[in-house]
């Protein structure tokens, strides 16, 4: 009996290959030619679908963003209570560091590139806005915020939560001692509770 093989269309194959290349070697170290060769397609086919490296990187980030925004929101919606939701969000960042470091590295690379490329900056700003809204919607209630955070808006607190977890995750992924570094995420969780 023959097994059916699932065929991916060339555009999808290029996107998946680009994700692997970019998350392994970084934006600056990957060319369109590298991606075409690894995807087994002609360079002209790659440029037909994605025009240039910037547009391809944006599509890779879009793919990554949709997947992980959905995962974060799903994790937060699967538990009840502010403390449990915060613990779930911290757990998500720990799993990202431990199980999907290439994804986090790609995200860090995207942040770095956004400093110089306006289209990346716009996309990153949109991503941060969406993440802030997810955190605000799932973690923060107005009455608790007023009491605990001295009148700061839930949006401001959500930005702080995102910044603390993302910044700490970046420090961990760049550091040499990841095991004890997770303590800083635990501390962020206790400080924010």
């Amino acid at each position: 009996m023959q097994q059916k093989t699932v065929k991916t269309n060339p555009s999808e194959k290029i996107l998946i290959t680009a994700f692997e290349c970019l998350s392994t070697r970084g934006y600056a170290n990957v060319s369109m030619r590298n991606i075409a060769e690894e995807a087994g397609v002609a360079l002209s086919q790659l440029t037909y679908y994605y025009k240039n490296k910037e547009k391809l990187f944006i599509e890779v980030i879009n793919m990554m963003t949709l997947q992980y925004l959905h995962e974060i929101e799903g994790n937060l919606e699967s538990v009840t209570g502010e403390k449990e939701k915060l613990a779930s969000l911290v757990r998500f960042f720990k799993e990202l560091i431990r199980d999907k470091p290439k994804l986090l590295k790609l995200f860090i690379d995207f942040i770095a590139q956004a400093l110089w490329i306006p289209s990346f900056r716009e996309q990153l700003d949109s991503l941060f806005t969406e993440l802030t809204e997810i955190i605000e919607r799932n973690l923060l209630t107005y009455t608790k915020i007023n009491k605990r955070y001295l009148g700061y808006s839930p949006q401001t607190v959500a930005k702080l939560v995102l910044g603390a977890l993302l910044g700490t995750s970046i420090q961990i992924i760049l550091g040499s001692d990841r095991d004890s570094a997770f303590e800083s995420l635990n501390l962020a969780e206790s400080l924010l509770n």
Side-chain angles (χ1 to χ4, degrees):
M1 187 174 192
Q2 282 186 318
Q3 283 188 323
K4 271 187 154 178
T5 57
V6 178
K7 290 189 177 187
T8 56
N9 66 46
S11 173
E12 222 177 292
K13 185 177 182 179
I14 291 166
L15 201 55
I16 292 166
T17 302
F19 172 81
E20 281 302 313
C21 290
L22 293 165
S23 64
T24 303
R25 296 185 299 223
Y27 184 80
N29 299 315
V30 175
S31 69
M32 293 284 277
R33 186 171 306 284
N34 298 139
I35 295 168
E37 287 171 3
E38 291 196 32
V41 299
L43 182 58
S44 60
Q45 193 174 16
L46 193 147
T47 56
Y48 170 78
Y49 287 109
Y50 297 103
K51 307 293 181 236
N52 58 42
K53 187 175 165 182
E54 184 177 325
K55 287 185 178 17
L56 177 58
F57 193 53
I58 285 173
E59 286 306 312
V60 168
I61 295 300
N62 284 338
M63 177 183 74
M64 176 191 81
T65 297
L66 289 174
Q67 179 183 348
Y68 290 96
L69 285 174
H70 180 73
E71 279 187 29
I72 289 171
E73 188 136 44
N75 281 346
L76 290 172
E77 290 175 349
S78 70
V79 294
T80 58
E82 194 173 296
K83 285 185 180 187
E84 292 80 11
K85 287 182 182 279
L86 183 58
S88 174
L89 187 60
V90 169
R91 203 169 33 256
F92 176 83
F93 275 89
K94 286 178 181 178
E95 289 169 5
L96 187 61
I97 295 163
R98 188 175 35 249
D99 302 335
K100 302 171 188 171
K102 288 195 304 188
L103 178 66
L104 185 55
K105 287 178 182 179
L106 182 62
F107 188 63
I108 294 166
D109 195 12
F110 178 49
I111 293 168
Q113 297 304 320
L115 293 171
W116 309 109
I117 303 171
S119 61
F120 290 3
R121 189 174 312 121
E122 292 167 16
Q123 193 173 10
L124 184 63
D125 185 51
S126 175
L127 174 59
F128 282 160
T129 298
E130 287 183 64
L131 285 168
T132 299
E133 288 171 358
I134 288 171
I135 292 169
E136 182 180 356
R137 186 171 52 250
N138 286 282
L139 265 175
L140 308 169
T141 59
Y142 190 74
T143 53
K144 286 184 179 182
I145 295 300
N146 275 340
K147 289 179 186 174
R148 192 178 315 145
Y149 297 108
L150 305 172
Y152 287 100
S153 73
Q155 181 184 43
T156 300
V157 177
K159 286 180 180 183
L160 174 69
V161 169
L162 176 60
L165 295 177
L166 181 58
T168 302
S169 297
I170 290 170
Q171 290 176 40
I172 292 169
I173 201 80
L174 294 175
S176 59
D177 185 14
R178 285 196 192 155
D179 294 331
S180 67
F182 281 110
E183 291 178 25
S184 54
L185 276 174
N186 296 335
L187 177 60
E189 180 182 351
S190 67
L191 289 174
L192 294 167
N193 261 326

